[in-house]
Amino acid sequence: MTADPDSRPLLSVVIPVLDEEEALPELRERLLAQLGEIDGETEVVYVDDGSSDGSAALIESWIEQGDRAVLIALSRNFGMEIAMSAGLDEAAGRHVVLMHADLQDPPELIPQMLTAAREGADVVYARRIGREESRMKRALATAFYRLMERLARVPYQGQAGDFRLMSRRVVDDIRRMPERRRFLRGMVAWVGYEQVPIEYQRAGRVQGRGASYRDLFRLALEAFASFSDVPLSLVGYAGVATSLLSALAGFVLLVLAIVGVVTTSGYIWVLIAVLFLSGVQLMSVGVLGRYLARVHEEALQRPLYLVDRVVRPR
């Protein structure tokens, strides 16, 4: 049964949490200061993604003290994308903000986002114009966004992360998408409607455990597999190019042997050709396997996540 739009809170803020106990008090203070300036009912949905510290207990104590918030404690660590999806399933607001708990997403932008939404935007996404992060991380992020711009089948939004405001119809559209391996910022861009950016300088991480390079690499692979078939096309092109190069090399080697220019054994050329072709084949199998793994996981039809407990205001 669909809830009456007038009975919904004006705004829900969804925050995935993983070992953020030290950052949460400052986040709460800054967030409540901004929500207090909004003329309308608001709520905060914290999703604990299997934290090993006291993050969940801290949030639960705030709810007992009277915070208008909900804690969704997942049964284990399912990953950032799944935790955000769990929060979207719980959020009841007419507008929903997604943000991280590490204070790199400034809560002070939320009123500006809401103003843009009231002017007609369905999605207001925060686009980074600078990052207080390591040179390596900035370089990798820039390379990823440039590749997405050229390869993905979704509108390019610049260096925009998960920090964004969405209208209720966008949230409902996202919730109807059945895929298990998720790249939410790409899914939101794919939905369409009116999407507008606001720009900000991204702060460095203050506390908490950030995503490892391994996690970021996996997320990049999911993004490419979800929104681009270019890797599959490249495999085909590589196969054609390899076949042509091998044929040309064989023809040249034959001509050189006939005219007496080549005096070394031809086995070395055969070995090089075999190694080259084997490398291309292994690369092709790896790319195909990545897509087949996605098909296999979708076919299993397991739940997207499991909830250990839900804590709501009394």
Side-chain angles (χ1 to χ4, degrees):
M1 183 175 179
T2 304
D4 181 359
D6 294 333
S7 67
R8 292 182 177 275
L10 173 65
L11 181 71
S12 298
V13 181
V14 172
I15 306 176
V17 176
L18 177 62
D19 296 338
E20 303 282 1
E21 183 179 9
E22 295 182 354
L24 282 171
E26 181 180 348
L27 170 66
R28 178 199 183 211
E29 180 181 352
R30 291 169 57 182
L31 182 60
L32 292 182
Q34 299 305 313
L35 297 183
E37 297 180 1
I38 295 174
D39 184 16
E41 186 179 349
T42 63
E43 67 171 2
V44 182
V45 179
Y46 296 98
V47 183
D48 184 71
D49 191 24
S51 295
S52 58
D53 63 1
S55 295
L58 182 61
I59 295 168
E60 190 169 351
S61 70
W62 294 340
I63 296 173
E64 292 175 353
Q65 293 169 19
D67 279 21
R68 183 167 179 78
V70 179
L71 170 65
I72 310 296
L74 302 185
S75 63
R76 63 171 176 83
N77 176 252
F78 285 88
M80 178 73 73
E81 302 296 313
I82 303 302
M84 290 189 293
S85 298
L88 293 181
D89 287 342
E90 174 65 27
R94 284 169 275 166
H95 303 280
V96 178
V97 169
L98 268 181
M99 64 180 298
H100 294 176
D102 55 13
L103 298 175
Q104 290 185 288
D105 298 337
E108 290 75 16
L109 287 181
I110 292 177
Q112 184 180 346
M113 289 178 163
L114 189 57
T115 298
R118 284 169 166 165
E119 293 173 353
D122 280 284
V123 176
V124 184
Y125 58 92
R127 185 164 59 197
R128 304 155 185 164
I129 56 175
R131 309 165 67 101
E132 296 178 10
E133 295 171 325
S134 68
R135 184 174 299 177
M136 173 66 74
K137 200 164 187 179
R138 290 198 305 268
L140 291 174
T142 300
F144 167 73
Y145 286 113
R146 286 180 177 174
L147 283 173
M148 286 295 291
E149 179 183 11
R150 288 166 173 77
L151 302 183
R153 301 187 306 270
V154 294
Y156 177 63
Q157 296 185 335
Q159 294 206 21
D162 296 309
F163 187 27
R164 60 191 61 220
L165 178 147
M166 297 169 285
S167 67
R168 171 47 52 181
R169 67 171 176 173
V170 171
V171 172
D172 290 341
D173 287 340
I174 295 296
R175 293 180 61 203
R176 283 195 291 269
M177 295 183 185
E179 57 258 45
R180 266 93 179 134
R181 295 196 179 187
R182 300 190 147 211
F183 181 61
L184 274 176
R185 66 192 76 167
M187 294 167 68
V188 175
W190 180 89
V191 167
Y193 306 126
E194 183 177 354
Q195 306 202 13
V196 300
I198 59 174
E199 296 182 336
Y200 76 112
Q201 177 82 21
R202 194 179 199 212
R205 169 176 281 271
V206 176
Q207 300 286 350
R209 187 178 75 188
S212 66
Y213 285 108
R214 181 180 180 183
D215 293 335
L216 294 174
F217 180 69
R218 286 179 175 175
L219 181 61
L221 290 180
E222 295 302 335
F224 290 127
S226 297
F227 294 99
S228 177
D229 57 8
V230 172
L232 292 174
S233 301
L234 290 177
V235 167
Y237 296 147
V240 172
T242 301
S243 299
L244 292 176
L245 288 173
S246 301
L248 178 61
F251 176 75
V252 171
L253 185 62
L254 177 62
V255 171
L256 293 178
I258 291 174
V259 300
V261 175
V262 176
T263 56
T264 57
S265 172
Y267 290 112
I268 187 64
W269 299 104
V270 174
L271 178 60
I272 292 173
V274 169
L275 291 174
F276 180 65
L277 289 171
S278 298
V280 172
Q281 289 174 342
L282 288 173
M283 179 188 69
S284 303
V285 170
V287 173
L288 292 171
R290 190 75 190 179
Y291 283 87
L292 287 175
R294 295 179 62 84
V295 174
H296 175 259
E297 187 165 343
E298 296 296 335
L300 292 176
Q301 292 293 302
R302 289 173 181 159
L304 193 60
Y305 56 86
L306 296 175
V307 176
D308 179 31
R309 70 185 189 280
V310 179
V311 182
R312 306 179 191 276
R314 297 184 181 181

